[in-house]
Amino acid sequence: MTDTELIPAPRAVEGPPGPGAVLGRDTTLWAAPGTETTERWLRGALGAALGLPLRPGPRDGAGVRLLLDDAPAPEAYRLDVSADAGVEIRGGDAAGVFWGAQTLRQLLGPDAFRRAPVRPDTVLTVAPRVVEDAPRFRWRGLMLDVARHFMPKDGVLRYLDLMAAHKLNVLHFHLTDDQGWRVEIERYPELTRTGSWRARTKYGHRASPLWEDKPHGGHYTRDDIREIVAYAAERHITVVPEIDIPGHSQAAIAAYPELGNTDVVDTAALTVWDTWGVSENVLAPTDATLRFYEGVFEELLELFPSEFIHVGGDECPKAQWRSSPAAQARIRELGLADEDELQSWFIKHFDRWLTARGRRLIGWDEILEGGLAEGAAVSSWRGYAGGVAAARAGHDVVMCPEQQVYLDHRQDAGEDEPVPIGFVRTLEDVYRFEPVPSGLTREEAAHVLGTQANVWTEVMENQARVDYQVFPRLAAFAEVAWSALPAPDARDFTGFERRMAAHYRRLDALGVGYRPPAGPLPWQRRPGVLGRPIDGPPPNK
């Protein structure tokens, strides 16, 4: 294995002459205070994979050493490998040390990505080298939608491991939507008792005639959430929860009908939605609704220590508000111009509410319409325009344009592509994605916190389908988010493909059901299941 097979690509690699470090059953591990997460991970994951006990040992010698150093930037690291000194990982903080350990794992070969040794008592030699590395962005995210198709807890933990292996550090956890409510809220038990399951599920795009005629559902208990958050923290990943308001709320209304617009809809007759798209059933603009969701967010803040809380804020149909005497009276009472400003009123309320509790609101780019508080941030999904507007208005932004990094979009135009959705977004397309919009000044560009890939699961009914849509494109995205790449047209995709040849072996060892370069395997296809392909290149705006 060569240094050029590292993914994401590090900033600098030197290969000094001489013998490398030898790792075997006698190799020791010394960890400085503050590096305990990496120490535990090395023994629990790397040690278990390769049969290395990594017993505690002295700082001096030819073992593995973990240190903190004030000189590198946050999340930066330096990895030194030599015969005399062994392996030293020196990080600018605890996260930097952990990312250095992920690089070491890649250098040890694909067997290091297994859960138990397949070649016991093997002595491993790592060629001498110095790797100096640091991330481009501090927000390197994956948005995982567990509302449309529920992913059991073990699957979420597995994806946190996959994120860590690619140096991604934010899990945007999409927990609620029209099709399901996935997080236990103690004071409102019907949210999960009723709202977490639906009687049947549309199979394919919403225009498909096919149905899976059995209940689908599931939710995470409060302890499940605590476990997920703690597991992520051990891997230096922040979990940002999303609770959708005021649209995408039919599951909540099905559980508590008083949350809906009862003067125009028989909300007591509503069930959790069983098809895809955007439901017309949205929250009623009442004080009781605000108090209800304040209760939801109070419990959420107990479970998620993240700086940001995502409130959705996108795709809110206004038809019910236009027909509702109560909603129209509220518009007049608040002195608002129309229903668009009523949606903004919802968001501004929770913007102030979260700010008063030391948190920051983030939402999809529709929340820009009507103005935001100073600390609020934007997930720019409808293209680059929302991110540009947010940055120029002084708001932080996470770039995740649908046309570029929605991994539910199809990977090829071939007829065998399963349930083809949206634009063709190949591995190369994702590799050439640029998160910072052109035309921003340096000061404006500084508001780009980073980027994330979004995984909407309407047509991903199980882990195998999620794996197929996400990989290998997530590896390309991770390099975009981490590495200091040249401009998109100047990026060496041929070199990336060469490194991917080694990375596929790592993914195989991890058990990832990725899309092979030659196209889907027979069991990855979904013949006859209708999708919604869009022809031509995506708009770049």
Side-chain angles (χ1 to χ4, degrees):
M1 183 168 293
T2 66
D3 295 325
T4 57
E5 292 172 344
L6 294 173
I7 290 178
R11 293 199 173 189
V13 180
E14 295 179 6
V22 176
L23 276 67
R25 294 190 63 82
D26 295 330
T27 299
T28 60
L29 172 61
W30 180 86
T35 65
E36 292 84 3
T37 53
T38 303
E39 179 185 15
R40 287 190 290 269
W41 182 86
L42 281 171
R43 289 201 178 99
L46 199 59
L50 299 172
L52 303 177
L54 296 174
R55 297 181 181 90
R59 174 171 179 169
D60 299 328
V64 178
R65 295 179 307 286
L66 310 176
L67 301 94
L68 295 176
D69 190 332
D70 292 338
E75 296 194 271
Y77 68 89
R78 177 186 171 101
L79 171 64
D80 287 274
V81 180
S82 66
D84 295 335
V87 176
E88 179 178 287
I89 304 174
R90 188 179 292 267
D93 55 11
V97 177
F98 184 74
W99 305 132
Q102 298 303 315
T103 297
L104 174 63
R105 186 192 201 184
Q106 292 195 15
L107 296 175
L108 290 169
D111 286 353
F113 290 79
R114 297 188 179 274
R115 295 193 180 186
V118 294
R119 294 169 183 82
D121 301 319
T122 298
V123 175
L124 300 158
T125 301
V126 187
R129 74 204 69 214
V130 176
V131 180
E132 293 188 341
D133 204 4
R136 180 184 179 192
F137 295 110
R138 71 179 181 97
W139 185 301
R140 306 179 302 279
L142 176 70
M143 194 290 301
L144 187 59
D145 167 24
V146 295
R148 272 54 175 270
H149 277 103
F150 178 65
M151 180 178 284
K153 180 191 67 178
D154 285 353
V156 177
L157 300 180
R158 173 177 177 265
Y159 259 83
L160 288 167
D161 281 330
L162 292 172
M163 290 175 63
H166 293 83
K167 298 185 174 72
L168 299 173
N169 69 342
V170 178
L171 173 64
H172 173 172
F173 209 17
H174 184 78
L175 290 165
T176 72
D177 218 295
D178 297 310
Q179 296 85 3
W181 185 286
R182 305 294 178 215
V183 57
E184 177 188 19
I185 302 297
E186 282 187 332
R187 71 188 74 182
Y188 304 128
E190 289 300 324
L191 286 172
T192 47
R193 188 179 297 143
T194 297
S196 69
W197 70 276
R198 55 184 181 263
R200 63 176 187 168
T201 297
K202 176 69 72 171
Y203 190 33
H205 183 257
R206 60 180 175 270
S208 168
L210 304 176
W211 294 88
E212 186 179 43
D213 284 308
K214 67 178 183 181
H216 175 87
H219 73 275
Y220 310 104
T221 68
R222 288 166 61 85
D223 280 348
D224 289 339
I225 294 293
R226 292 185 181 102
E227 181 182 358
I228 289 167
V229 169
Y231 195 85
E234 279 283 301
R235 287 145 185 80
H236 297 276
I237 296 171
T238 299
V239 183
V240 175
E242 179 181 352
I243 301 292
D244 260 309
I245 56 170
H248 287 289
S249 297
Q250 183 164 328
I253 297 168
Y256 289 92
E258 65 271 21
L259 295 174
N261 295 283
T262 57
D263 55 347
V264 293
V265 176
D266 180 9
T267 56
L270 292 177
T271 60
V272 177
W273 216 24
D274 57 12
T275 190
W276 312 126
V278 180
S279 170
E280 293 286 335
N281 293 295
V282 301
L283 297 176
T286 66
D287 288 341
T289 299
L290 297 183
R291 301 293 87 76
F292 182 97
Y293 274 86
E294 286 171 359
V296 169
F297 282 114
E298 281 175 4
E299 293 196 25
L300 213 68
L301 298 189
E302 295 173 11
L303 297 171
F304 294 93
S306 54
E307 176 185 4
F308 289 98
I309 302 294
H310 208 291
V311 300
D314 62 317
E315 296 180 324
C316 179
K318 309 298 192 301
Q320 290 184 1
W321 288 349
R322 293 189 189 100
S323 301
S324 164
Q328 292 301 310
R330 198 70 200 254
I331 288 173
R332 292 191 296 271
E333 173 195 337
L334 296 169
L336 304 177
D338 53 24
E339 293 79 16
D340 289 337
E341 287 197 5
L342 187 61
Q343 179 178 350
S344 181
W345 167 80
F346 257 104
I347 300 303
K348 286 179 177 178
H349 175 85
F350 286 100
D351 192 355
R352 294 188 297 269
W353 191 91
L354 288 167
T355 299
R357 287 153 182 81
R359 305 296 185 96
R360 295 178 66 187
L361 179 144
I362 185 168
W364 303 110
D365 53 57
E366 286 96 327
I367 70 172
L368 282 166
E369 299 159 7
L372 289 173
E374 184 176 347
V378 170
S379 301
S380 184
W381 76 274
R382 291 182 293 180
Y384 285 100
V388 170
R392 286 179 173 164
H395 293 290
D396 289 338
V397 60
V398 175
M399 293 303 305
C400 49
E402 174 188 15
Q403 304 89 339
Q404 311 298 329
V405 288
Y406 268 37
L407 300 186
D408 46 311
H409 283 216
R410 57 193 173 134
Q411 303 187 63
D412 191 82
E415 293 183 1
D416 287 335
E417 210 62 32
V419 200
I421 299 294
F423 298 103
V424 172
R425 292 287 84 193
T426 65
L427 184 67
E428 182 172 1
D429 290 331
V430 174
Y431 190 66
R432 297 192 189 280
F433 164 60
E434 172 49 48
V436 178
S438 60
L440 294 180
T441 66
R442 179 173 296 187
E443 182 180 8
E444 291 166 348
H447 282 292
V448 179
L449 298 177
T451 182
Q452 70 182 31
N454 292 346
V455 182
W456 300 103
T457 62
E458 288 95 333
V459 299
M460 300 180 216
E461 71 276 10
N462 55 35
Q463 177 177 291
R465 283 286 294 125
V466 175
D467 277 6
Y468 179 90
Q469 291 298 133
V470 170
F471 287 98
R473 293 184 293 181
L474 192 69
F477 173 80
E479 185 148 309
V480 169
W482 176 278
S483 304
L485 298 177
D489 290 345
R491 292 176 188 171
D492 181 11
F493 180 69
T494 300
F496 177 76
E497 282 189 304
R498 185 176 58 250
R499 286 182 285 127
M500 279 301 299
H503 201 64
Y504 286 123
R505 297 197 297 274
R506 299 175 192 133
L507 296 178
D508 287 334
L510 286 165
V512 176
Y514 57 84
R515 180 189 189 276
L521 298 167
W523 56 86
Q524 292 175 321
R525 300 167 186 161
R526 296 292 188 275
V529 182
L530 186 67
R532 182 178 173 265
I534 303 175
D535 294 328
N540 189 21
K541 61 180 181 179

